[in-house]
Amino acid sequence: MDIKDTEKFKGDEVKLTRRKFKQKTFTSSATLGGRFKNCEFTDCIFENIKGFFLYFEDCHFKDCFINNAIFSHIDLDWAGNTFEHCNIRNTNFEEGMMFNSNFIDTEFYKTSFAGIYPIDNVIFYNCNFLFTDFQTIGHNDSYNYKPNEKCLL
């Protein structure tokens, strides 16, 4: 993974905890695995990322642009994330689980959540969706949805 204006990683395994990134660009020409835990991303760009077992846990994304990314096999550790004022385009979240995450004032374009099971306590608040696929999501039906409230899966 290349991070412009920051540092380069040895190999394709990412292991970062409690780091803050501001106005950085993350790209990769290889398939990545690893973990970001308790990290903050502000005004960052994630582009052409192929994440296979690449986990984000308890991370906060603010004003970030995520484009042309695949996050596959996102198991139990893809939890507790917040995406605020982000733009997510041409991105697939597939084959995994998602828990306790918030998407706030986020734009989605050509994004797919296909194969995410289970998805639990994931909130989409004041988000816009265009050509976004939720078709094959499996979720727990334990929450009683009330109109004009949060969009909760």
Side-chain angles (χ1 to χ4, degrees):
M1 172 181 276
D2 295 325
I3 302 177
K4 295 178 183 174
D5 301 326
T6 302
E7 60 188 90
K8 294 190 178 183
F9 295 99
K10 295 178 182 174
D12 297 328
E13 185 78 12
V14 178
K15 293 181 184 176
L16 292 173
T17 302
R18 293 183 187 91
R19 294 280 304 269
K20 292 183 180 185
F21 299 94
K22 187 170 184 174
Q23 296 179 331
K24 303 299 179 199
T25 298
F26 297 79
T27 62
S28 177
S29 58
T31 301
L32 299 170
R35 170 180 323 273
F36 287 93
K37 185 171 182 174
N38 296 103
C39 292
E40 292 180 25
F41 303 92
T42 304
D43 197 24
C44 292
I45 297 172
F46 294 81
E47 195 152 34
N48 301 319
I49 302 291
K50 296 173 200 87
F52 188 73
F53 293 102
L54 178 62
Y55 302 116
F56 290 87
E57 181 180 5
D58 297 319
C59 291
H60 187 245
F61 300 80
K62 185 172 183 177
D63 299 316
C64 291
F65 180 69
I66 301 169
N67 184 43
N68 196 31
I70 299 171
F71 299 105
S72 182
H73 293 77
I74 52 176
D75 293 327
L76 293 173
D77 292 329
W78 190 278
N81 297 308
T82 299
F83 295 82
E84 186 177 355
H85 303 286
C86 293
N87 189 333
I88 301 174
R89 304 174 66 79
N90 306 306
T91 296
N92 294 330
F93 298 91
E94 57 188 40
E95 295 185 44
M97 306 169 210
M98 191 178 288
F99 302 100
N100 306 319
S101 294
N102 296 303
F103 294 89
I104 303 163
D105 296 317
T106 294
E107 303 279 334
F108 293 89
Y109 176 78
K110 289 189 179 180
T111 300
S112 175
F113 289 87
I116 298 295
Y117 179 81
I119 186 167
D120 192 27
N121 198 31
V122 174
I123 299 170
F124 296 89
Y125 183 76
N126 200 34
C127 295
N128 290 316
F129 302 95
L130 188 60
F131 304 112
T132 298
D133 179 15
F134 290 98
Q135 250 182 46
T136 58
I137 282 187
H139 59 88
N140 297 332
D141 198 15
S142 60
Y143 179 80
N144 294 322
Y145 174 74
K146 296 176 184 150
N148 299 322
E149 202 176 82
K150 301 174 191 171
C151 297
L152 179 69
L153 294 178

